[in-house]
Amino acid sequence: MYSIQNGQSVLVVWGSTPAPETFQNMIEKLRKLTGPLGNVRVENVDRLTMGSHPTSSFDIVLSGVIFPQSISHTTELLGELLRVVKPKGRIILQEVTVQNANGTHLKTAEKLQSVLRITGLTNIQEATLVSLTNAEIQTLKDLLNIAVNVNVVEIQCQKPDFEVGSSSKLSFAKQSPQVQPSVNVAAVWKLDDTVDDDIETIDENNLLDEEDLKKPDPASLRVCGTTGKRKACKNCSCGLAEELAAEGKPAAAPPAQTKTSACGNEVFAA
């Protein structure tokens, strides 16, 4: 019965007053399953929040599973059931549903599953129909004051594996990732590690010829003391201009010479 095991703690939540014999038989079955080390508590839905049950005190909660199934599982009620059940504990509920909720205060089976998800329950199983006699169906319709066809469905779900209201500190500081080197990785990367033995490579001794190995003439490396380049300045007096002219490179243009005409005006000559 509901996979209840010896030593577990079970809470039974009921709505409208059930038949005394039915109620007593259910409680006796549960106590036999839980054994002397277990615990079975019974609470009316209207007094559930007044029971002062400790947080996470039950392994299984059975809500509305005793005829007549008159409990409407609102988000407030489910929140309280979620509080009292242990992490990874199960909640098994039964509720009257309709095919179309238009004009009624009842939910469809799909709506009931949606409410369970919104509340934060997990592992929500598909709704299964509860077998009732025609007389029991009519009793529920009279009790709920509705005329449309109804069904009773049962859904099992689970509390997440953490406590309601639990929190964890988040760190937004930037941290350098700690990368642990693999035991199969060499301590130093080498170019040889990327060379495939099947690929033909160039002999490094053939990359330079004799001309490349000759040392340059120090005179050819002389630069102008003014420009810092191998280019003579305008009034070159170090001899670089003559050296460049001998090499066939253009030297800096000499400064323009001026002459004075008979009228006193300056005439520029190239």
Side-chain angles (χ1 to χ4, degrees), residues 1-2 4 10-16 18 22-23 26-27 30 60-71 73 91-95 130-132 152-156:
M1 181 179 180
Y2 299 124
I4 296 175
V10 180
L11 173 65
V12 180
V13 182
W14 56 278
S16 299
T22 303
F23 189 82
M26 167 69 92
I27 302 305
L30 292 175
I60 299 175
V61 173
L62 304 177
S63 179
V65 298
I66 303 177
F67 182 85
Q69 295 89 340
S70 60
I71 296 178
H73 293 90
I91 296 178
I92 304 170
L93 58 88
Q94 293 183 8
E95 184 171 332
V130 177
S131 178
L132 296 175
V152 175
V153 298
E154 179 178 285
I155 300 179
Q156 298 192 30

Side-chain angles (χ1 to χ4, degrees), residues 98-116:
V98 291
Q99 294 291 335
N100 191 333
N102 291 339
T104 70
H105 60 279
L106 302 178
K107 311 181 191 72
T108 63
E110 293 76 13
K111 178 62 177 179
L112 177 57
Q113 290 177 312
S114 176
V115 173
L116 295 175

Side-chain angles (χ1 to χ4, degrees), residues 56 86-88 120 159-166:
S56 299
K86 297 178 181 179
K88 298 188 72 173
K159 180 177 180 176
D161 191 16
F162 55 82
E163 189 53 75
V164 174
S166 59

Side-chain angles (χ1 to χ4, degrees), residues 24-83:
Q24 188 63 32
N25 290 339
M26 167 69 92
I27 302 305
E28 289 179 358
K29 288 180 181 179
L30 292 175
R31 286 176 175 165
K32 287 181 180 180
L33 292 172
T34 56
L37 299 178
N39 179 31
V40 178
R41 301 290 299 273
V42 180
E43 196 73 69
N44 180 264
V45 64
D46 295 329
R47 301 180 59 85
L48 180 61
T49 57
M50 301 169 59
S52 300
H53 298 289
T55 298
S56 299
S57 54
F58 297 100
D59 297 291
I60 299 175
V61 173
L62 304 177
S63 179
V65 298
I66 303 177
F67 182 85
Q69 295 89 340
S70 60
I71 296 178
S72 175
H73 293 90
T74 62
T75 54
E76 292 78 13
L77 172 58
L78 290 171
E80 180 63 15
L81 300 182
L82 191 64
R83 184 188 69 81

